[in-house]
Amino acid sequence: MVKQVYGILGDPVAHSLSPVMQNAAFTRLGMDALYLAFRVPREELEGAIRGAKSLGIAGLNVTIPLKEDALLFVEPDKLARQIGAINTVDFSTGTPMGYNTDGLGAIQALQERVGDLTGKRVLILGAGGAARAITFYLDREGAFVTLANRTVARAAQVAARLTNVHAIGLGAELKAHLTTTDVLINTTSIGMHPRAEETLVTADMLRPELVVFDIVYNPIETKLLAEARRAGVHTCINGVKMLVYQGAAAFRIWTKREPPLDVMEQAVLDALQRGP
Ligand code: ATR
């Protein structure tokens, strides 16, 4: 049998640890498979997905900033269609099928630290593909979500589709909102390489009881999480578990096998320790 090839499309994508994580899982399970990173600008996305299908690539992940655009070039399942963004493509049926495993990954990572999310007031920074997916799941869990985004209209678009979801900007309203927030989640690329020195929220805007979750995993402690530590926040959650859980869900879709979660997490932690 020919080696199965998988990959991740994104821009930037060089710091993605999905290759390290998925290749560790393939190796552990003795599978003849390889996972690669491809830097694909927005305007090349359609060609990249078509080309991947023609080349016999088995499956793809899609990351920043392509998750919403990618929906146009695949057959999304019901959940991905509702969310309006995908992060996983499966070619095994011949048609590129689109799935979204981001929301599930984030909710699992959050619930294992926080428990029940019913009635929790959650403030999400960002309104892109990842924010859409997480908002959808939080809404289903009965949380009250506010999306704070640089482009307020984009957040309003997401909010308009759901009952308990509201949109605000990143200015003074953000600071005011944080005083009544239970969980803060950063879904923007602020804090991720090459913007590792930046954060939208600083220590003076935080309090110890607030849960702070950054879905960025590289660096493992983002500027936001460092600020949270400085503010004495008790529950800080980095992006590693979400990376593992969303990747594991994609792995199940592609291979129909149970991935080794511990091996995947260790591969990510080792790579983060080694540094760039
Ligand atoms: P993804 O699909 O992975 O979520 P995305 O759709 O590109 O990626 O979304 C990135 C998010 O980061 C958006 O909310 C974006 O804000 P805009 O909607 O205003 O573009 C946010 N973002 C990116 N760069 C930012 C910056 N410099 N300041 C504030 N927000 C930023």
Side-chain angles (χ1 to χ4, degrees):
M1 201 168 120
V2 182
K3 188 186 279 292
Q4 297 285 290
V5 178
Y6 298 85
I8 182 164
L9 314 183
D11 187 17
V13 77
H15 285 90
S16 171
L17 293 181
S18 288
V20 160
M21 176 176 77
Q22 299 288 3
N23 286 323
F26 292 144
T27 303
R28 170 57 64 95
L29 297 181
M31 297 168 69
D32 190 17
L34 177 67
Y35 187 110
L36 300 164
F38 300 97
R39 183 168 183 193
V40 175
R42 261 208 170 97
E43 59 277 14
E44 297 292 342
L45 179 62
E46 181 176 10
I49 292 176
R50 281 186 199 282
K53 178 177 180 287
S54 304
L55 290 171
I57 284 179
L60 291 174
N61 281 131
V62 180
T63 190
I64 271 185
L66 310 172
K67 290 174 180 171
E68 288 163 275
D69 291 0
L71 191 76
L72 303 171
F73 312 124
V74 300
E75 187 61 51
D77 75 347
K78 188 170 166 224
L79 184 74
R81 199 187 299 275
Q82 281 174 320
I83 290 170
I86 62 157
N87 73 331
T88 302
V89 185
D90 179 36
F91 294 100
S92 63
T93 63
T95 309
M97 299 294 295
Y99 302 91
N100 195 312
T101 68
D102 272 337
L104 179 70
I107 288 290
Q108 282 179 344
L110 195 54
Q111 276 175 335
E112 74 180 16
R113 295 287 299 279
V114 177
D116 188 13
L117 294 165
T118 315
K120 289 269 192 286
R121 290 160 301 183
V122 183
L123 196 148
I124 295 185
L125 299 169
R132 272 176 184 270
I134 297 171
T135 301
F136 182 84
Y137 272 83
L138 285 169
D139 186 63
R140 249 186 13 183
E141 294 293 320
F144 299 100
V145 181
T146 300
L147 290 159
N149 199 41
R150 175 178 60 180
T151 315
V152 186
R154 196 173 177 198
Q157 235 174 24
V158 182
R161 298 163 53 153
L162 300 159
T163 339
N164 288 320
V165 180
H166 299 95
I168 61 169
L170 294 177
E173 332 169 68
L174 170 59
K175 192 167 183 175
H177 250 86
L178 279 168
T179 61
T180 55
T181 294
D182 300 311
V183 181
L184 170 67
I185 308 177
N186 175 52
T187 71
T188 72
S189 44
I190 303 294
M192 182 172 88
H193 280 296
R195 311 196 66 148
E197 294 311 313
E198 298 173 43
T199 176
L200 295 171
V201 170
T202 44
D204 56 301
M205 298 160 79
L206 301 170
R207 52 185 212 289
E209 306 72 43
L210 188 66
V211 172
V212 180
F213 177 19
D214 200 329
I215 75 165
V216 172
Y217 59 83
N218 193 356
I220 193 161
E221 185 181 75
T222 58
K223 186 86 197 307
L224 170 63
L225 292 180
E227 291 289 305
R229 194 160 44 85
R230 216 152 64 80
V233 167
H234 306 310
T235 311
C236 291
I237 307 172
N238 65 45
V240 171
K241 290 278 192 184
M242 174 181 165
L243 174 70
V244 171
Y245 294 145
Q246 63 77 34
F251 190 100
R252 291 186 195 100
I253 290 168
W254 296 323
T255 68
K256 317 285 183 278
R257 296 182 66 168
E258 186 51 33
L261 292 175
D262 51 342
V263 169
M264 294 166 81
E265 182 175 358
Q266 199 54 53
V268 172
L269 294 174
D270 290 348
L272 286 169
Q273 184 120 45
R274 279 196 304 273

